[in-house]
Amino acid sequence: MGTMDNQSRNDGGREMNIDVGHLSVTGHVVFAGRDGSVSVNTGGDVAQTNNTTMTVGGVETTRADYDSMVASVRTVDQKIKEDTKLEPDEKAAAAYNLKVVEEQLTSEKPPNPHILVQAARSLYDVSPAIAGAVISLFTEPLVGQIVLTVGGIAKGFYDTVIKGGVSGS
């Protein structure tokens, strides 16, 4: 039977020490759909492999690819904030559409292609500076994998962005 040492909690409750008498795990381990690391302390000769993968947008990926995609989202956010030609309501609308795109891309489940494309197209059409950042975001390898899994309208938008332009709808 396992015990939990509450004294080991720190970092806002994110770290916890659980002492388990016996645990046998075979195969891929996912902790509540999030990236996880397992440390094994044994008295015997056991090989340990830490594999840090996660599921994002219905695609299994690495933390590095996820971080790169999120950095591209942050770049779009920065472009929205820096664009001096946008009115406050235009900035608010762009920030909202970016939030929708981010939620669609970072969900564990595949995105809704119609919602993703509508928000991304709206972002793309706001200004040339933001359009460039949206193109950069959609050329992230992980975004490409996510879009290819949902296909249809999302793949059409993706293909158009990569080829260099999107006409407003």
Side-chain angles (χ1 to χ4, degrees):
M1 177 158 224
T3 61
M4 186 172 96
D5 178 6
N6 284 328
Q7 300 301 324
S8 296
R9 294 188 94 170
N10 63 25
D11 190 28
R14 291 180 179 220
E15 186 174 315
M16 195 180 316
N17 180 21
I18 300 175
D19 181 17
V20 178
H22 177 78
L23 177 63
S24 178
V25 178
T26 303
H28 182 87
V29 178
V30 177
F31 299 95
R34 301 282 188 220
D35 183 23
S37 176
V38 179
S39 297
V40 179
N41 296 316
T42 67
D45 186 14
V46 176
Q48 175 187 344
T49 303
N50 288 337
N51 189 2
T52 55
T53 60
M54 57 196 303
T55 302
V56 178
V59 174
E60 191 166 316
T61 190
T62 64
R63 171 56 82 178
D65 285 345
Y66 173 80
D67 289 344
S68 180
M69 178 181 72
V70 170
S72 287
V73 170
R74 297 296 162 249
T75 299
V76 177
D77 184 52
Q78 193 61 37
K79 293 293 182 189
I80 292 168
K81 290 174 181 171
E82 292 173 354
D83 197 326
T84 59
K85 295 178 183 175
L86 293 179
E87 295 295 325
D89 59 331
E90 292 174 310
K91 284 188 180 196
Y96 173 79
N97 284 317
L98 179 59
K99 180 180 177 201
V100 170
V101 168
E102 182 177 18
E103 288 171 354
Q104 291 293 308
L105 293 175
T106 59
S107 169
E108 190 175 323
K109 297 182 284 185
N112 178 316
H114 297 284
I115 293 172
L116 175 63
V117 169
Q118 181 181 10
R121 185 179 304 275
S122 294
L123 269 175
Y124 184 89
D125 291 338
V126 170
S127 78
I130 295 171
V134 171
I135 290 171
S136 180
L137 170 61
F138 271 80
T139 57
E140 280 286 328
L142 178 55
V143 175
Q145 290 174 343
I146 292 169
V147 167
L148 291 176
T149 63
V150 296
I153 188 172
K155 185 177 180 318
F157 176 77
Y158 177 78
D159 288 345
T160 304
V161 166
I162 289 178
K163 292 174 184 166
V166 174
S167 61
S169 53

